[in-house]
Amino acid sequence: MPEASRKRSRPQEPENLETLMGNKPPQALDVEEAVLGAMLVEPATIDESMEELSASCFYDPQHRMIFEAMSELVNEHVSVDLVTVSEKLRAKGNLEAIGGPVVLANLSQNIGAAAHIEYYIKILKQKTIQRDLISASYDILKQSFDESTNVDDLIDNAQTKVFAAIQNNVKRDVQDIGSIINSVLDNLQELQNITGPSGVPSGYPSIDRVTQGWQKSDLIILAARPSVGKTAFSLNIARNAAVEANMPVAVFSLEMSADQLGKRLITTESGLSGEKIKGGVKLEPFEWVQLEDTLKRLAKAPLYIDDTPGIPIMEFRTKAKRLVKQKGVRLIVVDYLQLMQGPVELRGLREQEVAAISRTLKATAKELNIPIIALSQLSRNAVQRTGGTGKPQLSDLRESGSIEQDADMVIFIHRPDFVGMSDNPEDKEKAIIVIAKHRNGEVCDIEMKYKANQVKFVEPDQSLDMYAQRGPVASAANEPAAGEPSNYDFDAQSEF
């Protein structure tokens, strides 16, 4: 291309970037010319270029106009050549802006470009990623100087911008069914060597038989009316994964403090009654030994608790990303969804705010590739409904139908005795885990028992009577005398 034409085609660089960096943003004008020239003379290069490139991949604004004109011609099913591109540019009023027909003619003289189109496309994509990262960095820097910017929002925006700068330029190829089947068979072969659930185990065999554990990228909604046992069940799940499977788990508690959750976990782990852990009933000397012994495993478990009240959804995303990166967290529990704060612009529009929170939780699970269990309240319809079994339904999910839509799995906790659906004394401890929605498996009811005094769910064939042999419910007559060793053989593993 003549020197005069090259000078005319030089873009006006963004003043802020040039001032900030002291350098021109990464560019490859010669490569841009080669790609456009190849598209003008070799139709076979057009499809590949259109699939891999966008107008933003061209730094020169004149080159961008030419590519946009070509894209419109392709969308209109019109052949791309010197004449059609010139007419399209003229119709858009951009022909003179790019330097006239002579510029297009000069581009078409690069006959050898078509043979190297794949290499040229790769170069343009690399330059685009570099420019996008510079632009994202500048935006982050500008926001960082703004004192009014919330730091947690700043961190989340920074991560999002950098991630978007990379992902926007990475396109997945179409896969043929043969390669997909091979991938599935490879994964199936790996699963043959796994004896337990393929996901994060719940600790309950009857549940794991249905779910194969909590699966990666899934959003699991655990819902029930107040005081039915949502927090207790979610803590049992978190404890089982962290203590028994040694998998890092994070619990975001918006309703209860970390100390309150700690007391619940201690109650469950030790087998002592809740009243004793709360201090309402004094501990016997042998129970202190029991307590210290049984809590050793829990104290060392990779279980992390955040009790920030009303945590904004963006702050949650930032903390979740950090926990996954730094602690290797494999499961996140949120207690509970309706107490989170959605986007500021949606405050007051409750249903839309909850919908935004639900979508963000699902997006976070997918981005971090871990399961998220979010607790949710049910509407009063679940209690006021007459007839039937009184079991909750998907329509009972409170404040937003999008919760049901976004969830990969919806689980209800139903206690017939608690909601007045049974007068049978044998049903006092009965609890039904209702899997009402399951994208990748069956829906079913799973019967369990809820031991309220130990805030613990157990399988129907399991019992907490084992603790009678370990001390917490033993009679005072069995208490050792002062200075005598205890006859109890306490281990640190609680039974679920």
Side-chain angles (χ1 to χ4, degrees), residues 153-170:
D153 291 342
L154 176 64
I155 295 172
D156 185 74
N157 288 337
Q159 293 173 329
T160 301
K161 285 179 181 292
V162 173
F163 183 76
I166 299 171
Q167 290 299 113
N168 286 345
N169 294 282
V170 177

Side-chain angles (χ1 to χ4, degrees), residues 66-372:
I66 296 172
F67 185 83
E68 288 172 346
M70 292 177 172
S71 298
E72 292 184 22
L73 289 172
V74 171
N75 291 334
E76 295 167 3
H77 305 287
V78 177
S79 61
V80 175
D81 56 38
L82 280 172
V83 176
T84 57
V85 174
S86 295
E87 289 302 316
K88 175 58 72 174
L89 287 167
R90 182 178 286 110
K92 293 168 63 71
N94 292 333
L95 185 58
E96 294 304 319
I98 63 114
V102 65
V103 171
L104 294 176
N106 289 330
L107 288 174
S108 65
Q109 299 302 311
N110 197 341
I111 299 175
H116 308 288
I117 189 68
E118 186 176 342
Y119 177 67
Y120 293 154
I121 288 174
K122 182 178 179 180
I123 292 175
L124 292 189
K125 291 178 71 174
Q126 290 175 342
K127 300 297 181 184
T128 303
I129 293 175
Q130 288 177 279
R131 290 198 300 271
D132 287 347
L133 286 173
I134 291 172
S135 179
S137 301
Y138 177 75
D139 288 342
I140 294 168
L141 184 61
K142 189 165 59 174
Q143 290 179 6
S144 299
F145 277 108
D146 186 354
E147 295 289 346
S148 65
T149 303
N150 180 278
V151 174
D152 292 311
D153 291 342
L154 176 64
I155 295 172
D156 185 74
N157 288 337
Q159 293 173 329
T160 301
K161 285 179 181 292
V162 173
F163 183 76
I166 299 171
Q167 290 299 113
N168 286 345
N169 294 282
V170 177
K171 298 183 179 180
R172 294 176 65 98
D173 291 332
V174 175
Q175 302 179 68
D176 62 85
I177 187 62
S179 62
I180 294 173
I181 289 175
N182 287 334
S183 176
V184 172
L185 290 177
D186 288 342
N187 179 252
L188 182 60
Q189 181 63 44
E190 293 176 4
L191 293 176
Q192 303 308 301
N193 300 322
I194 299 177
T195 55
S198 58
V200 178
S202 69
Y204 299 103
S206 57
I207 294 178
D208 288 338
R209 276 194 293 270
V210 178
T211 65
Q212 286 302 304
W214 313 118
Q215 300 298 316
K216 294 178 180 179
S217 78
D218 275 4
L219 173 61
I220 301 107
I221 297 296
L222 175 62
R225 288 293 295 160
S227 301
V228 171
K230 295 189 301 296
T231 301
F233 188 54
S234 65
L235 280 182
N236 290 169
I237 290 171
R239 178 264 170 207
N240 293 345
V243 176
E244 302 297 341
N246 198 36
M247 292 185 177
V249 179
V251 176
F252 286 82
S253 176
L254 288 75
E255 187 175 33
M256 300 176 67
S257 69
D259 285 349
Q260 289 174 316
L261 291 185
K263 288 179 179 179
R264 284 199 171 203
L265 286 166
I266 290 173
T267 300
T268 301
E269 193 74 8
S270 66
L272 296 169
S273 70
E275 291 302 317
K276 289 190 175 184
I277 299 301
K278 292 176 184 176
V281 179
K282 302 302 179 185
L283 291 174
E284 303 293 342
F286 71 87
E287 290 175 327
W288 279 107
V289 177
Q290 160 79 15
L291 193 62
E292 293 175 3
D293 237 13
T294 56
L295 295 183
K296 289 178 181 178
R297 293 181 69 201
L298 179 62
K300 296 178 181 179
L303 181 59
Y304 309 97
I305 296 176
D306 184 299
D307 62 354
T308 305
I311 187 171
I313 189 64
M314 288 307 171
E315 181 180 339
F316 163 78
R317 275 173 54 84
T318 300
K319 289 182 174 180
K321 291 177 183 177
R322 187 164 61 244
L323 283 165
V324 170
K325 182 177 180 180
Q326 297 179 356
K327 305 294 186 181
V329 163
R330 299 275 300 276
L331 171 69
I332 291 178
V333 177
V334 178
D335 182 14
Y336 60 91
L337 185 152
Q338 282 86 357
L339 289 180
M340 301 186 89
Q341 295 183 35
V344 177
E345 62 271 16
L346 294 179
R347 304 281 166 81
L349 304 172
R350 187 56 183 162
E351 187 168 332
Q352 295 182 34
E353 184 180 5
V354 172
I357 293 170
S358 174
R359 285 194 302 270
T360 304
L361 286 174
K362 173 57 185 173
T364 304
K366 190 173 181 180
E367 180 181 343
L368 300 181
N369 199 31
I370 62 170
I372 293 180

